[in-house]
Amino acid sequence: ETGVTQTPRHLVMGMTNKKSLKCEQHLGHNAMYWYKQSAKKPLELMFVYNFKEQTENNSVPSRFSPECPNSSHLFLHLHTLQPEDSALYLCASSQVGQVADEKLFFGSGTQLSVL
Amino acid sequence: DAKTTQPNSMESNEEEPVHLPCNHSTISGTDYIHWYRQLPSQGPEYVIHGLTSNVNNRMASLAIAEDRKSSTLILHRATLRDAAVYYCTQYTSGTYKYIFGTGTRLKVLA
């Protein structure tokens, strides 16, 4: 399998549930990202990991908890979410180090609905 | 804050060229301009990027204004498969920050 794979593609959860989103990249990249895409809003950067170390936490509420066990896997743990957290959650990766050629590769996203 | 602005939507006829504009008036000297597009039910995909000079690849061309405050993505012959939302993005090197705008929804008419 190639590229960036996200599971599940769709998730419906109640406000008291705990769930996790998974992302795996097969590109050998050293940086991984979580983005949130809400209707009619720009993509919002949530977290960035470089070589498994978190380098960005864009003022994201603590009900979202990222985990990066290695440079190929990224998780987003969810608990006690609110209905306004319903959105498309996108994972991306990039190879950081050669600025002139850095670019993002995205997965297909997880469409999350919080009831 | 850095910001890119794009028209909400554009239309083009099939097999005609399309010019998608973007303003990035707050861009700094080391920020790259990236373009991504998002097809229905998919994540965004990379199209092209540049710093100062115009760029060409198999998907598109990127024309960057001399003052770098605007750029234009050029699709030389639009096809129905090019119907997507196109995002102009500023990338601040060394910060992992790609600043996305709200995008332009391109409709291609047969």
Side-chain angles (χ1 to χ4, degrees), chain A residues 35-47:
Chain A
Y35 279 88
K36 177 183 178 182
Q37 187 174 36
S38 305
K40 299 185 179 179
K41 291 174 79 173
L43 270 74
E44 301 172 52
L45 178 63
M46 299 176 72
F47 302 104

Side-chain angles (χ1 to χ4, degrees), chain B:
Chain B
D1 283 345
K3 185 178 176 183
T4 63
T5 55
Q6 302 173 250
N8 287 334
S9 62
M10 291 183 66
E11 280 188 4
S12 172
N13 292 318
E14 198 176 9
E15 299 195 3
E16 289 189 358
V18 182
H19 291 237
L20 298 166
C22 179
N23 288 321
H24 28 79
S25 57
T26 60
I27 196 168
S28 72
T30 56
D31 286 354
Y32 282 78
I33 299 153
H34 284 231
W35 283 81
Y36 293 81
R37 73 179 187 180
Q38 188 170 20
L39 303 171
S41 302
Q42 295 187 27
E45 66 172 339
Y46 168 81
V47 178
I48 199 166
H49 76 283
L51 184 61
T52 56
S53 304
N54 294 346
V55 184
N56 300 295
N57 66 21
R58 63 175 180 81
M59 290 180 73
S61 294
L62 175 61
I64 301 172
E66 197 168 333
D67 63 5
R68 295 196 351 110
K69 295 185 184 301
S70 66
S71 62
T72 302
L73 178 71
I74 303 165
L75 307 180
H76 295 286
R77 289 183 64 203
T79 70
L80 297 177
R81 289 175 295 180
D82 291 322
V85 179
Y86 286 79
Y87 294 99
C88 168
T89 308
Q90 280 180 223
Y91 174 54
T92 304
S93 55
T95 67
Y96 313 99
K97 288 186 177 177
Y98 294 78
I99 308 299
F100 284 81
T102 51
T104 296
R105 183 173 296 278
L106 175 66
K107 186 175 180 180
V108 180
L109 305 174

Side-chain angles (χ1 to χ4, degrees), chain A residues 86-104:
Chain A
S86 298
L88 181 67
Y89 288 84
L90 291 159
C91 175
S93 69
S94 71
Q95 182 61 28
V96 174
Q98 295 181 308
V99 175
D101 203 34
E102 290 176 8
K103 48 185 174 276
L104 291 171

